[in-house]
């Protein structure tokens, strides 16, 4: 079979390790969505790792031609909009952080915030805004740097300073602890292995339910251990899951299965 990798970085560890498992029997084709037109010959399945507007447009065009794409363009695009993400999660009863949207950071009224809060870019992308705001002074600093940025505001969830990073590949769950980027710089974050047996009761079912609600097969969920239980603060389509033993094998098996089925693209309501 032919497998298309929709990415500008085919050497990414997860993709490269998965490709190494598949290439003895299958052909892999890297498709750079920022540089290439829609390929003339369809692959049997595409892995949608890139999440840029051009990548999503390419994936939609491939789906329209009958190609199987993992994850679907619709599900991937939903996870790029934190407003839509939070609304769907809360409608489905998932314990997602309460989220409100502001059209531009510069319009956020400092007098109406119950500090501390977390301010994030509404549209998830590389180098987007994610910051804890403890007072009007910090808010003014961010507003000066990002005045027109559409943002979401979440109440800060008291926690132990660790993000629970949960990754899922076709129902197989991988986990790690990572120091929160709200407390340390991104370059200083520490990641520790987290055995699944050490997760609180119910968390495995919770993270798998996220996949069902969002129509995702390869995804990540960021969860905090809050005072009253788990709080989901972000959901990512096709994350890197770097260094997770077994993840390439799970992705390779999913790729083979997906190539043998007709695509079913569900748009969450």
């Amino acid at each position: 079979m032919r497998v298309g990798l929709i990415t500008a970085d085919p050497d990414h560890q997860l993709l490269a390790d998965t490709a190494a498992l598949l290439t003895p029997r299958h052909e892999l084709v890297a498709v750079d969505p920022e540089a290439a037109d829609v390929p003339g010959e369809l692959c049997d399945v595409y892995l949608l790792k890139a999440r840029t507007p051009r990548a999503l447009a390419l994936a939609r065009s491939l789906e329209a031609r009958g190609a199987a794409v993992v994850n679907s363009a619709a599900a991937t695009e939903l996870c790029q909009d934190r407003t839509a993400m939070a609304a769907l999660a809360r409608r489905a009863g998932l314990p997602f952080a309460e989220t409100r949207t502001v059209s531009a950071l510069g319009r956020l009224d400092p007098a109406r915030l119950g500090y501390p809060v977390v301010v994030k870019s509404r549209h998830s992308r590389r180098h987007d805004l994610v910051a804890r705001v403890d007072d009007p002074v910090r808010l003014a600093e961010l507003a000066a740097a990002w005045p027109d940025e559409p943002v979401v505001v979440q109440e800060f969830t008291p926690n132990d300073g660790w993000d629970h990073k949960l990754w899922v590949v076709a129902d197989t769950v991988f986990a790690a602890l990572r120091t929160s980027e709200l407390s340390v710089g991104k370059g200083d974050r520490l990641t520790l292995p987290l055995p699944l047996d050490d997760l609180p009761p119910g968390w495995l079912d919770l993270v798998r339910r996220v996949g069902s609600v969002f129509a995702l097969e390869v995804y990540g969920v960021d969860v905090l251990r809050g005072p009253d239980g788990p709080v989901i603060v972000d959901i990512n389509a096709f994350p890197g899951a770097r260094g997770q033993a077994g993840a390439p094998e799970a992705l390779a098996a999913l790729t083979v299965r997906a190539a043998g089925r007709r695509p079913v693209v569900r748009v969450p309501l």
Side-chain angles (χ1 to χ4, degrees), residues 149-167:
E149 180 76 2
V151 296
V152 297
V153 180
Q154 297 175 343
E155 181 179 344
F156 178 76
T157 300
N159 62 87
D160 56 8
W162 292 90
D163 293 342
H164 291 73
K165 307 289 292 188
L166 302 175
W167 300 282

Side-chain angles (χ1 to χ4, degrees), residues 94-97 120 154 157-168 173-180 189 194 199-210 219-236:
L94 295 171
F96 200 95
K120 302 178 181 179
Q154 297 175 343
T157 300
N159 62 87
D160 56 8
W162 292 90
D163 293 342
H164 291 73
K165 307 289 292 188
L166 302 175
W167 300 282
V168 182
V173 181
F174 307 90
L177 287 172
R178 184 173 296 169
T179 46
S180 172
R189 300 179 75 186
L194 179 62
L199 288 172
W203 281 35
L204 283 176
D205 290 339
L206 171 63
V207 73
R208 289 190 175 110
R209 184 159 177 256
V210 169
Y219 60 98
V221 185
D222 292 352
V223 187
L224 300 178
R225 191 197 296 262
D228 301 317
V231 178
I232 298 173
V233 294
D234 219 345
I235 299 167
N236 302 290

